[in-house]
Amino acid sequence: MNNSTSSPSRPLRVIAITGCDGSGKSTLTHRLVQTLSLRTSVEEIYLGQSSGFIKQKITELPLVGEKIAAYLVSKSDKVHEKPNAPPGNLEGTVIFLLSCWRAYKFKRLLRREQKGVLLVTDRYPQAEVPGFRVDGPHLGKAQGGSRWIQILRRHEQRLYNWMASYPPALLIRLSVDEQTAFARKPDHDIASLREKIRVIPTLTFNGAHILELSGTDPEDEVFSAALAAINKTFDLP
């Protein structure tokens, strides 16, 4: 499923790191932030759906927190188990709220970027292919559903169209093969890894400048190539 995005805005002062789990995104992100902080004001922002963080916060609520968190996570898991079936109203609402949380973080990114901060993001939202696994709008993975779900689906798509209309000045995409990804992330669902390996290389991120690197190359080589591209893209001291 392909959805058109809004006309690209000016590229943001953002370095986005994308790729399948196990490709080395977090390692590269942390190392770049540490190095660039010696030269300019830089911050790291995680732009995934943050369902684990939200679950933790709900769990901390007195008395009923743990039960509510377990219930909501079970509802969300059911949607992943049946990706081609429209979710029920409660499941769909949970999914939409997760997308709203991602949009909230993106608004924070825009505010920091407008203040001149260089931002390095782990993942980046896109509106081309549906599914949280590939950082797209999740309700678009299935058609139909109740009137409420159809309303949420349209609003969610607009959220992602809006976020994707702001391409990063540089997007670094790390590739990895299935065997390496699973060896590095043995606790991850193999179907999820396969979907990411298949879809992420096809995304254009609304015309962003993309640097392709192999996550199986030595860490120092990946870092050096990324840093060289950053120096060409940004005017840093």
Side-chain angles (χ1 to χ4, degrees):
M1 177 178 176
N2 244 317
N3 291 288
S4 60
T5 59
S6 305
S7 299
S9 304
R10 65 171 179 83
L12 297 176
R13 187 176 164 83
V14 170
I15 304 159
I17 315 295
T18 66
C20 177
D21 300 303
S23 62
K25 295 192 306 300
S26 297
T27 299
L28 179 60
T29 299
H30 297 331
R31 190 169 176 183
L32 286 175
V33 169
Q34 289 178 345
T35 300
L36 294 172
S37 65
L38 302 176
R39 302 165 60 186
T40 189
S41 176
V42 60
E43 292 180 13
E44 175 183 344
I45 295 183
Y46 177 69
L47 287 180
Q49 70 186 64
S50 300
S51 57
F53 170 79
I54 294 172
K55 177 185 176 183
Q56 178 184 346
K57 290 301 181 183
I58 295 175
T59 301
E60 292 172 358
L61 293 173
L63 301 178
V64 296
E66 188 171 349
K67 291 182 179 179
I68 293 175
Y71 179 70
L72 292 178
V73 169
S74 69
K75 290 293 184 182
S76 179
D77 288 343
K78 286 182 180 179
V79 176
H80 285 293
E81 292 168 6
K82 299 179 180 179
N84 297 319
N89 288 347
L90 180 57
E91 293 94 333
T93 301
V94 172
I95 289 169
F96 181 71
L97 291 175
L98 288 172
S99 290
C100 289
W101 176 248
R102 178 176 270 168
Y104 170 81
K105 292 190 294 183
F106 198 84
K107 288 180 180 179
R108 177 178 177 272
L109 174 146
L110 292 179
R111 290 195 298 269
R112 299 301 294 155
E113 192 267 352
Q114 288 168 1
K115 291 184 177 180
V117 178
L118 178 63
L119 299 159
V120 184
T121 72
D122 184 338
R123 306 175 71 159
Y124 205 80
Q126 54 84 21
E128 304 164 57
V129 178
F132 279 161
R133 288 173 175 171
V134 292
D135 298 316
H138 197 78
L139 293 174
K141 286 184 75 72
Q143 298 301 306
S146 70
R147 182 176 178 80
W148 175 242
I149 292 301
Q150 293 179 52
I151 291 172
L152 292 182
R153 183 181 293 123
R154 289 194 295 270
H155 281 290
E156 184 189 47
Q157 186 65 52
R158 290 191 193 108
L159 280 178
Y160 279 83
N161 286 347
W162 167 70
M163 290 186 284
S165 73
Y166 292 92
L170 176 63
L171 186 139
I172 301 172
R173 180 158 51 199
L174 299 173
S175 64
V176 69
D177 59 85
E178 180 182 316
Q179 292 75 19
T180 301
F182 192 63
R184 292 176 176 176
K185 301 289 184 179
D187 58 327
H188 283 46
D189 176 48
I190 189 67
S192 173
L193 296 177
R194 286 172 178 162
E195 181 179 3
K196 293 177 182 181
I197 290 171
R198 175 178 58 84
V199 173
I200 291 176
T202 71
L203 301 173
T204 68
F205 292 93
N206 211 17
H209 173 59
I210 300 177
L211 172 67
E212 305 280 4
L213 296 176
S214 173
T216 59
D217 284 345
E219 183 183 319
D220 286 346
E221 290 183 14
V222 173
F223 173 75
S224 295
L227 194 58
I230 291 168
N231 289 332
K232 289 182 180 179
T233 304
F234 300 94
D235 183 17
L236 298 178

